[in-house]
Amino acid sequence: MRAHGELIEVPGAGATDHICWVYDQDDATFDRAVRRFLAGGLARGDRLLCIGERVLACLAVEDDDFAGADALLGSGALRTMTTRQAYEATGVFAAGTQLAYYRAATEAALADGFTGLRVVADVSPLAADPGVREELVRWEHVADSFAASGAGFTAMCAYSAELTAEALTEVASVHPLAHVSAEPTFRVFFDDDRVALSGSVDTFSADRLARVLESSPVSGDGAVLDLARVEFVDVAASRVIARWARDLDARSLPLEVQGASPVLRRMWRVLGLADVAGVRFAA
Amino acid sequence: MTTALEEPAPGFEHEALFYRGDEDFLDGLLPFVREGLALDEAVVVAEPRARLELLRDALGDDARAVEFLDMAEIGQNPARIIGAWDRMLRERTAAGRRLRGVGEPAFVGRREAEFTECRLHEQLLNTAFDGGPSWRLLCPYDEVHLPRAVVRGALHSHPFAGTTAGRRRSPEYSPEDLDGLFGAELPRPPDAVLRGVYGAADIPATRRTVAQYARTIGLPEEKVETLALAASELATNSIRYGGGSGAVSMWATPSAAIVQFSDSGQVGDPLTGRRMPSLEQEGGRGVYLVNALCDLVQLRSSERGTTIRLTTWR
């Protein structure tokens, strides 16, 4: 199982890292976290990509974790972009174009002899706009799938603490690991190619879960939803899962649900959700 | 009762049969079941296990054409029974068969609170099925062993009543009793009650509080999770439809754990939660689910507000 939950310190670098970090403006913890995340990538042999002014500011701090940014820039092991440059590089913001950009950049890093591409990006401006935020959440979910697939792409997504609590909850809940003051009530992340749900989803957060599931990349073999770490789902959340199954079914993609509690399965039967779409329940 | 084949009367025919002993029970039921079979109706018998076996044996080969259901199971919580009949009626009607049912919800050995709910259930059957497809439902009552009040209640809730000697329209049938039954106050809880109030932000906390209480008094984990789910659904209903807030009370008796939700809203339809909601219908699922999952559910509503009491037997 991929590590998930609340993050206090940047963990040792792994091949599928995708973490969310909420920072304050004068936040030395953030500087250290970024540098530690980058140092872990360097040790693995990754190419590093830093995006956004606040992230770039971290590079100037000198400490033990990460040093010699100038030399790395010169050798091509480190690349930097301001937020504006990143917008221009990736084009109109959409999950699909983002994935295409980062997939190409990861493949280029591999072709250049690096282990992969390790990105630290401040995405706050996108999260601030509620219209763009929906697409951002979709992209984060797609990015998590890409990171979990072991393609060589890893990322730390930085968000300003000045964003609304709602925005921070939304973005944190699509990362397996997040450093955020208010823990999201649920998380959706990828574990290999399974979609894993943890925490609690009720009537008041069910729509948010629906939007995330809708954007889940699903292979031709169908989808697997792992509910083993779910603390609680209510009727509304169960119906969201059933509707996702129905939408997958319309694309001839089966859904297997793993780790559902006995109560959830009884609820499924009582409400006739099996009639919405066939779901295979497995242990 | 006549055993001659009669042209079935149109509409829903809801009849109480008062019996005295096993022989009398069979004298009343065998002709009713066999008449249905002779008319090629779909005959479904919902009885507690012992009576069901008695009837099955007495029917001999005819039993093969009859569907038997354990009333103690499908009707443990009486608020589930209308949903069961409703489903069977829809299925049989769709298959071009007329339904003929036997249902003994108020069987001997039930607890007092269950008899109270059986009384409301029997009354609501008329509300649920009057005006719909034609079918017959015969409800046996054990006149010897049941409390007097239960037998008397059956005269009020059934338009037809009879014994093996014959049946007639019940002069005491009183559909207007429904408002009083549905709006009645439930018996007061004892002194030792844990109480809390909740608002829109408190649903997860309410769910956890109820789960914690259920664990503390030693309910098994599946019952704990069931009550947590019920708490979430019912507290959500208070927020959405019940004035935006509500109160939860919890107490225990030697035989049960009780969790009760109250708010200032009024449930207009006393059949709420008793029939399976359609797949696309937005609301109405919470109470239906709670009815299906909990041992006993008592819903009361009037201008004074709404109370739902969940009883979990220990």
PDB file of all heavy atoms in Angstrom, chain A residues 213-230:
ATOM      1  N   LEU A 213     -13.959  10.884  -8.902  1.00  0.00           N
ATOM      2  CA  LEU A 213     -14.085   9.567  -9.540  1.00  0.00           C
ATOM      3  C   LEU A 213     -14.309   9.698 -11.045  1.00  0.00           C
ATOM      4  O   LEU A 213     -13.755   8.941 -11.837  1.00  0.00           O
ATOM      5  CB  LEU A 213     -15.221   8.763  -8.902  1.00  0.00           C
ATOM      6  CG  LEU A 213     -14.959   8.272  -7.467  1.00  0.00           C
ATOM      7  CD1 LEU A 213     -16.170   7.511  -6.933  1.00  0.00           C
ATOM      8  CD2 LEU A 213     -13.709   7.413  -7.377  1.00  0.00           C
ATOM      9  N   GLU A 214     -15.147  10.691 -11.427  1.00  0.00           N
ATOM     10  CA  GLU A 214     -15.412  10.903 -12.853  1.00  0.00           C
ATOM     11  C   GLU A 214     -14.130  11.103 -13.641  1.00  0.00           C
ATOM     12  O   GLU A 214     -14.053  10.743 -14.812  1.00  0.00           O
ATOM     13  CB  GLU A 214     -16.268  12.168 -13.051  1.00  0.00           C
ATOM     14  CG  GLU A 214     -17.749  11.954 -12.939  1.00  0.00           C
ATOM     15  CD  GLU A 214     -18.470  13.292 -12.776  1.00  0.00           C
ATOM     16  OE1 GLU A 214     -17.929  14.333 -13.202  1.00  0.00           O
ATOM     17  OE2 GLU A 214     -19.569  13.272 -12.195  1.00  0.00           O
ATOM     18  N   SER A 215     -13.138  11.717 -12.998  1.00  0.00           N
ATOM     19  CA  SER A 215     -11.913  12.045 -13.744  1.00  0.00           C
ATOM     20  C   SER A 215     -10.854  10.960 -13.604  1.00  0.00           C
ATOM     21  O   SER A 215      -9.748  11.107 -14.098  1.00  0.00           O
ATOM     22  CB  SER A 215     -11.364  13.389 -13.248  1.00  0.00           C
ATOM     23  OG  SER A 215     -11.042  13.307 -11.878  1.00  0.00           O
ATOM     24  N   SER A 216     -11.185   9.854 -12.928  1.00  0.00           N
ATOM     25  CA  SER A 216     -10.201   8.785 -12.738  1.00  0.00           C
ATOM     26  C   SER A 216      -9.792   8.165 -14.064  1.00  0.00           C
ATOM     27  O   SER A 216     -10.645   7.695 -14.812  1.00  0.00           O
ATOM     28  CB  SER A 216     -10.785   7.680 -11.850  1.00  0.00           C
ATOM     29  OG  SER A 216     -10.721   8.065 -10.511  1.00  0.00           O
ATOM     30  N   PRO A 217      -8.489   8.140 -14.351  1.00  0.00           N
ATOM     31  CA  PRO A 217      -8.053   7.408 -15.538  1.00  0.00           C
ATOM     32  C   PRO A 217      -8.293   5.920 -15.310  1.00  0.00           C
ATOM     33  O   PRO A 217      -7.942   5.389 -14.266  1.00  0.00           O
ATOM     34  CB  PRO A 217      -6.546   7.699 -15.606  1.00  0.00           C
ATOM     35  CG  PRO A 217      -6.293   8.801 -14.641  1.00  0.00           C
ATOM     36  CD  PRO A 217      -7.367   8.727 -13.611  1.00  0.00           C
ATOM     37  N   VAL A 218      -8.960   5.269 -16.254  1.00  0.00           N
ATOM     38  CA  VAL A 218      -9.291   3.851 -16.114  1.00  0.00           C
ATOM     39  C   VAL A 218      -8.760   3.108 -17.327  1.00  0.00           C
ATOM     40  O   VAL A 218      -8.969   3.533 -18.458  1.00  0.00           O
ATOM     41  CB  VAL A 218     -10.827   3.662 -16.002  1.00  0.00           C
ATOM     42  CG1 VAL A 218     -11.180   2.187 -15.979  1.00  0.00           C
ATOM     43  CG2 VAL A 218     -11.351   4.355 -14.759  1.00  0.00           C
ATOM     44  N   SER A 219      -8.060   2.014 -17.074  1.00  0.00           N
ATOM     45  CA  SER A 219      -7.495   1.240 -18.178  1.00  0.00           C
ATOM     46  C   SER A 219      -8.593   0.422 -18.859  1.00  0.00           C
ATOM     47  O   SER A 219      -9.714   0.334 -18.366  1.00  0.00           O
ATOM     48  CB  SER A 219      -6.404   0.299 -17.671  1.00  0.00           C
ATOM     49  OG  SER A 219      -7.008  -0.845 -17.087  1.00  0.00           O
ATOM     50  N   GLY A 220      -8.259  -0.192 -19.961  1.00  0.00           N
ATOM     51  CA  GLY A 220      -9.230  -0.967 -20.737  1.00  0.00           C
ATOM     52  C   GLY A 220      -9.776  -2.170 -20.004  1.00  0.00           C
ATOM     53  O   GLY A 220     -10.822  -2.706 -20.364  1.00  0.00           O
ATOM     54  N   ASP A 221      -9.071  -2.608 -18.939  1.00  0.00           N
ATOM     55  CA  ASP A 221      -9.533  -3.776 -18.187  1.00  0.00           C
ATOM     56  C   ASP A 221     -10.602  -3.418 -17.169  1.00  0.00           C
ATOM     57  O   ASP A 221     -11.176  -4.307 -16.542  1.00  0.00           O
ATOM     58  CB  ASP A 221      -8.356  -4.423 -17.436  1.00  0.00           C
ATOM     59  CG  ASP A 221      -7.256  -4.853 -18.389  1.00  0.00           C
ATOM     60  OD1 ASP A 221      -7.591  -5.140 -19.552  1.00  0.00           O
ATOM     61  OD2 ASP A 221      -6.088  -4.880 -17.973  1.00  0.00           O
ATOM     62  N   GLY A 222     -10.819  -2.134 -16.960  1.00  0.00           N
ATOM     63  CA  GLY A 222     -11.786  -1.717 -15.957  1.00  0.00           C
ATOM     64  C   GLY A 222     -11.094  -1.099 -14.754  1.00  0.00           C
ATOM     65  O   GLY A 222      -9.876  -0.927 -14.751  1.00  0.00           O
ATOM     66  N   ALA A 223     -11.895  -0.762 -13.750  1.00  0.00           N
ATOM     67  CA  ALA A 223     -11.371  -0.059 -12.581  1.00  0.00           C
ATOM     68  C   ALA A 223     -11.519  -0.917 -11.328  1.00  0.00           C
ATOM     69  O   ALA A 223     -12.401  -1.760 -11.245  1.00  0.00           O
ATOM     70  CB  ALA A 223     -12.127   1.258 -12.387  1.00  0.00           C
ATOM     71  N   VAL A 224     -10.619  -0.668 -10.385  1.00  0.00           N
ATOM     72  CA  VAL A 224     -10.725  -1.297  -9.070  1.00  0.00           C
ATOM     73  C   VAL A 224     -10.775  -0.179  -8.035  1.00  0.00           C
ATOM     74  O   VAL A 224      -9.933   0.714  -8.037  1.00  0.00           O
ATOM     75  CB  VAL A 224      -9.518  -2.215  -8.783  1.00  0.00           C
ATOM     76  CG1 VAL A 224      -9.623  -2.785  -7.374  1.00  0.00           C
ATOM     77  CG2 VAL A 224      -9.440  -3.333  -9.814  1.00  0.00           C
ATOM     78  N   LEU A 225     -11.789  -0.224  -7.184  1.00  0.00           N
ATOM     79  CA  LEU A 225     -11.921   0.762  -6.111  1.00  0.00           C
ATOM     80  C   LEU A 225     -11.668   0.042  -4.788  1.00  0.00           C
ATOM     81  O   LEU A 225     -12.348  -0.923  -4.451  1.00  0.00           O
ATOM     82  CB  LEU A 225     -13.328   1.375  -6.126  1.00  0.00           C
ATOM     83  CG  LEU A 225     -13.633   2.403  -5.031  1.00  0.00           C
ATOM     84  CD1 LEU A 225     -12.756   3.644  -5.178  1.00  0.00           C
ATOM     85  CD2 LEU A 225     -15.111   2.811  -5.068  1.00  0.00           C
ATOM     86  N   ASP A 226     -10.673   0.529  -4.048  1.00  0.00           N
ATOM     87  CA  ASP A 226     -10.290  -0.115  -2.791  1.00  0.00           C
ATOM     88  C   ASP A 226     -10.874   0.686  -1.626  1.00  0.00           C
ATOM     89  O   ASP A 226     -10.502   1.838  -1.408  1.00  0.00           O
ATOM     90  CB  ASP A 226      -8.757  -0.151  -2.709  1.00  0.00           C
ATOM     91  CG  ASP A 226      -8.275  -0.864  -1.455  1.00  0.00           C
ATOM     92  OD1 ASP A 226      -9.119  -1.175  -0.583  1.00  0.00           O
ATOM     93  OD2 ASP A 226      -7.063  -1.102  -1.347  1.00  0.00           O
ATOM     94  N   LEU A 227     -11.801   0.069  -0.901  1.00  0.00           N
ATOM     95  CA  LEU A 227     -12.468   0.763   0.207  1.00  0.00           C
ATOM     96  C   LEU A 227     -11.977   0.270   1.569  1.00  0.00           C
ATOM     97  O   LEU A 227     -12.569   0.605   2.596  1.00  0.00           O
ATOM     98  CB  LEU A 227     -13.990   0.543   0.123  1.00  0.00           C
ATOM     99  CG  LEU A 227     -14.680   1.040  -1.144  1.00  0.00           C
ATOM    100  CD1 LEU A 227     -16.189   0.769  -1.065  1.00  0.00           C
ATOM    101  CD2 LEU A 227     -14.439   2.528  -1.359  1.00  0.00           C
ATOM    102  N   ALA A 228     -10.888  -0.486   1.589  1.00  0.00           N
ATOM    103  CA  ALA A 228     -10.453  -1.106   2.851  1.00  0.00           C
ATOM    104  C   ALA A 228     -10.111  -0.065   3.913  1.00  0.00           C
ATOM    105  O   ALA A 228     -10.192  -0.359   5.105  1.00  0.00           O
ATOM    106  CB  ALA A 228      -9.264  -2.018   2.590  1.00  0.00           C
ATOM    107  N   ARG A 229      -9.731   1.149   3.517  1.00  0.00           N
ATOM    108  CA  ARG A 229      -9.344   2.161   4.498  1.00  0.00           C
ATOM    109  C   ARG A 229     -10.432   3.204   4.737  1.00  0.00           C
ATOM    110  O   ARG A 229     -10.175   4.261   5.295  1.00  0.00           O
ATOM    111  CB  ARG A 229      -8.047   2.843   4.056  1.00  0.00           C
ATOM    112  CG  ARG A 229      -6.857   2.001   4.378  1.00  0.00           C
ATOM    113  CD  ARG A 229      -5.800   2.076   3.296  1.00  0.00           C
ATOM    114  NE  ARG A 229      -5.029   0.842   3.285  1.00  0.00           N
ATOM    115  CZ  ARG A 229      -5.342  -0.207   2.522  1.00  0.00           C
ATOM    116  NH1 ARG A 229      -6.369  -0.165   1.707  1.00  0.00           N
ATOM    117  NH2 ARG A 229      -4.610  -1.298   2.573  1.00  0.00           N
ATOM    118  N   VAL A 230     -11.622   2.877   4.301  1.00  0.00           N
ATOM    119  CA  VAL A 230     -12.734   3.806   4.500  1.00  0.00           C
ATOM    120  C   VAL A 230     -13.238   3.710   5.936  1.00  0.00           C
ATOM    121  O   VAL A 230     -13.418   2.615   6.463  1.00  0.00           O
ATOM    122  CB  VAL A 230     -13.871   3.469   3.511  1.00  0.00           C
ATOM    123  CG1 VAL A 230     -15.183   4.082   3.962  1.00  0.00           C
ATOM    124  CG2 VAL A 230     -13.502   3.956   2.120  1.00  0.00           C
TER     125      VAL A 230
END
